[in-house]
Amino acid sequence: MRHTHRMSAAHMVEADILLCDEEEGNGEPIMAHPPETNSDNTLQAWLNEIVNTKKGIKLDFKSLVAVKPSMMLLEGIKLHLRRPVWINADILPGPSGSNTVVDAKRFLDTVTSFFPDVTLSLGWTTGWQPQQCNKGYSWAMVKEMAQICDALTQPVTFPVRAALVRQSTSELLWLLQKSNRYSLTVWTERHDEYSIEDLLYLRENFDKSRVYYDILEPQNSEFRKAIGIEI
């Protein structure tokens, strides 16, 4: 479970959602991070707990089949939700991405039929290799994303991998200027190598109010210290 913050924004809690017994297609939504595919933690129980907190919710979908049953559960508590809800999926292949993407049209149609105003978090599958020159997000990748999002009316945040952002500055700046509904969410995997300087460069070159951070320790504390935010 992870926390997302913009400098000064409220924290959000993230859950990876799969369908139990996915092959049969009739299981209930559970919280499990691939490669794990089973868990005793059901989405229903988690939502019942989180609804009483002041945290926002980010649901991250790895497959399409879990989306509709999860939206039905979320709809059941929506009158009690006091914080933002973000719905996330990787809908396009990205730099060195090998995971299966979630079908963009069907994902968007399902989510927006339940929640027409929800914040959509739409990303690319990615890979990263140590001691190698890792390519960033290409023009083709950001243009395809812009094409998909152009018809949407909801706020959209694009999750981008911290280790790939600096080499993608021009492309991501172009994408953000396509609409004032767009923002970035900078995220990282535990073993990614990137520097605080990379994050500071991003902060200097992008509108600060349109960048969220989902980064791990120790970089999170180092970054906050570097920009003068008390831990």
Side-chain angles (χ1 to χ4, degrees):
M1 210 175 296
R2 295 171 67 149
H3 293 77
T4 303
H5 60 86
R6 184 167 63 189
M7 296 312 166
S8 82
H11 281 243
M12 303 189 76
V13 188
E14 178 177 341
D16 294 313
I17 309 300
L18 295 169
L19 205 63
C20 189
D21 302 323
E22 195 158 290
E23 283 71 28
E24 286 80 32
N26 55 5
E28 73 170 314
I30 57 169
M31 294 162 56
H33 189 71
E36 298 295 324
T37 57
N38 225 321
S39 166
D40 293 330
N41 299 324
T42 66
L43 176 60
Q44 176 77 75
W46 184 75
L47 288 174
N48 289 343
E49 281 184 32
I50 213 77
V51 76
N52 296 315
T53 73
K54 293 183 178 179
K55 294 185 182 298
I57 296 171
K58 181 179 178 183
L59 301 184
D60 185 0
F61 290 96
K62 307 300 184 188
S63 72
L64 191 66
V65 291
V67 178
K68 185 173 181 179
S70 299
M71 292 301 102
M72 292 169 74
L73 291 177
L74 198 58
E75 188 175 47
I77 64 159
K78 72 178 180 182
L79 295 177
H80 304 286
L81 291 171
R82 290 172 282 178
R83 292 292 182 182
V85 176
W86 291 10
I87 308 296
N88 180 83
D90 290 338
I91 60 169
L92 290 175
S96 304
S98 57
N99 291 344
T100 306
V101 300
V102 176
D103 182 278
K105 184 178 188 316
R106 291 166 68 194
F107 174 76
L108 292 169
D109 285 351
T110 304
V111 172
T112 57
S113 70
F114 283 91
F115 292 95
D117 304 319
V118 76
T119 295
L120 297 164
S121 176
L122 304 177
W124 299 262
T125 61
T126 58
W128 183 84
Q129 297 296 323
Q131 280 85 51
Q132 286 188 25
C133 178
N134 289 275
K135 291 184 177 178
Y137 298 90
S138 69
W139 283 107
M141 291 169 192
V142 296
K143 286 180 176 177
E144 188 174 6
M145 185 66 83
Q147 198 170 5
I148 290 170
C149 296
D150 188 48
L152 300 172
T153 57
Q154 297 84 356
V156 180
T157 192
F158 303 109
V160 289
R161 197 164 182 162
L164 304 174
V165 165
R166 190 158 182 166
Q167 56 268 53
S168 317
T169 305
S170 300
E171 292 86 346
L172 294 174
L173 279 170
W174 175 87
L175 181 58
L176 277 195
Q177 62 84 28
K178 298 296 285 182
S179 173
N180 58 13
R181 294 180 292 109
Y182 297 167
S183 62
L184 298 179
T185 299
V186 182
W187 64 275
T188 183
E189 290 284 3
R190 185 158 298 283
H191 300 295
D192 286 3
E193 292 170 14
Y194 64 99
S195 67
I196 299 303
E197 285 69 32
D198 290 341
L199 297 179
L200 293 172
Y201 178 84
L202 179 75
R203 188 171 163 83
E204 286 161 16
N205 285 277
F206 288 78
D207 179 347
K208 297 179 188 64
S209 69
R210 296 172 70 184
V211 182
Y212 298 86
Y213 298 88
D214 180 13
I215 53 179
L216 303 171
E217 298 297 351
Q219 289 93 338
N220 184 41
S221 294
E222 292 168 6
F223 180 48
R224 291 166 71 93
K225 188 176 179 183
I227 61 175
I229 292 181
E230 292 299 319
I231 309 302

